[in-house]
Amino acid sequence: MLVAMARKTASDDPLAPVTLAVGQEDLLLDRAVREVVAAARAADADTDVRDLTPDQLQPGTLAELTSPSLFAERKVVVVRNAQDLSADTVKDVKAYLGSPAEEITLVLLHAGGAKGKGLLDAARKAGAREVACPKMTKPADRMAFVRGEFRTAGRSATPEACQALVDAIGSDLRELASAVSQLVADVEGTIDEAVVGRYYTGRAEASSFEVADRAVEGRAAEALEALRWSLSTGVAPVLITSALAQGVRAIGKLSSARGGRSADLARELGMPPWKIDRVRQQMRGWTPDGVAVALRAVAEADAGVKGGGDDPEYALEKAVVTIARAARSRGRA
């Protein structure tokens, strides 16, 4: 089953004469193909599948593949990177769209940009079933993807667990999907943040946020330990400064916001409610002056790791210590 992020339009029947999968997210494109093939083979176990690249689909090839068979066999014809088809082959495909053959499902994978837009428009005009497979560049999209993966598996995961998994794995959807599958297979009951931590602590993307969390909580020794681990495992220093900046800015945004329910503050500040609750715990001890000091420390570290200093590691250590001290500034003279 496709996750919710791969939105479908027109007929939801995977055996529609033509399926148009649009986007650049490889995992979702592959799933769109697998869904059609699975449905076809459920209807006919002997379904013939032809998976073609543009150079394999020459003028006349589509007509040959879709010509009536003596045995009326079911067939799935997959055309990848349809935006790269030659002009003559595009003419063949457009002609086919006007009169698709029975027992044959054509799957067109198209990047969705300006290139090859004529074919894209023609398929839509012909009423093709469309599956949107957008590249997921925003963290919120990847969070929605992970939640969808757990729902599809019939399992429950806390928002904190989903966020921790995205932080740990990063932006690769295949790795995220694989991680969800592993957790679902290995863990019973609701999957929480602690479970994700046990499985994925030490991943590069996760460790940068570990540094930030410990620093804004004022736990300097633990933050420095996490920093050294991150650097030793190859985490780019710029990822660590980015995580530090996010952590300090969250403290500043919440401390200057009006009090209220987490859901209300989430809407006001553009944070998920679970993060509001976490930052509330982290901001104890912070003052406005402390936030200002920490932001300056992050800016100096950022400049240091981007060529403004001789020792990026020292720049990060200095920032971590400064932020941890700022987190404990309330009550000090």
Side-chain angles (χ1 to χ4, degrees), residues 57-308:
L57 195 66
Q58 300 300 318
T61 304
L62 183 62
E64 179 182 340
L65 290 172
T66 57
S67 60
S69 167
L70 180 62
F71 302 102
E73 65 179 348
R74 182 176 291 278
K75 186 179 294 184
V76 175
V77 178
V78 180
V79 179
R80 296 185 182 272
N81 298 311
Q83 72 278 357
D84 295 330
L85 292 172
S86 68
D88 288 338
T89 303
V90 167
K91 290 179 182 178
D92 287 352
V93 177
K94 287 182 177 179
Y96 178 81
L97 292 172
S99 182
E102 292 186 9
E103 301 299 314
I104 292 178
T105 299
L106 176 65
V107 184
L108 298 173
L109 275 56
H110 194 293
K115 186 178 182 182
K117 189 172 185 298
L119 177 58
L120 191 64
D121 292 341
R124 286 168 171 164
K125 186 175 180 180
R129 167 183 177 262
E130 184 169 340
V131 181
C133 305
K135 198 74 175 175
M136 296 185 190
T137 58
K138 298 179 180 178
D141 291 341
R142 294 191 285 275
M143 274 285 288
F145 173 80
V146 169
R147 288 196 298 268
E149 291 290 286
F150 280 118
R151 281 197 301 270
T152 298
R155 295 294 300 277
S156 175
T158 67
E160 294 85 353
C162 293
Q163 182 65 55
L165 196 59
V166 171
D167 290 345
I169 302 300
S171 60
D172 190 309
L173 288 202
R174 291 186 190 280
E175 288 197 24
L176 284 169
S178 176
V180 170
S181 296
Q182 180 180 24
L183 290 169
V184 166
D186 292 356
V187 180
E188 295 182 359
T190 298
I191 295 165
D192 58 21
E193 185 179 15
V195 169
V196 174
R198 287 200 301 272
Y199 272 74
Y200 297 103
T201 294
R203 292 296 295 258
E205 295 86 350
S207 57
S208 61
F209 287 100
E210 177 76 9
V211 175
D213 284 341
R214 300 296 82 78
V216 299
E217 291 163 4
R219 295 153 67 178
E222 293 177 38
L224 287 171
E225 182 181 355
L227 172 63
R228 287 161 189 149
W229 167 257
S230 297
L231 294 172
S232 71
T233 56
V235 179
V238 68
L239 290 180
I240 300 173
T241 56
S242 176
L244 289 170
Q246 290 182 48
V248 175
R249 286 175 187 146
I251 296 289
K253 287 170 69 174
L254 190 56
S255 63
S256 61
R258 299 185 303 274
R261 297 184 305 126
S262 296
D264 296 333
L265 287 170
R267 286 191 293 271
E268 179 183 342
L269 301 177
M271 297 180 190
W274 67 264
K275 189 169 184 178
I276 296 290
D277 294 336
R278 173 183 285 181
V279 176
R280 270 179 167 157
Q281 294 177 347
Q282 293 176 332
M283 65 186 287
R284 295 168 185 162
W286 281 92
T287 65
D289 287 344
V291 172
V293 168
L295 287 174
R296 283 197 298 271
V298 171
E300 290 173 3
D302 189 55
V305 303
K306 291 180 178 177

Side-chain angles (χ1 to χ4, degrees), residues 294-320:
L295 287 174
R296 283 197 298 271
V298 171
E300 290 173 3
D302 189 55
V305 303
K306 291 180 178 177
D310 296 328
D311 189 342
E313 183 172 341
Y314 172 74
L316 286 169
E317 288 182 353
K318 181 180 177 183
V320 163

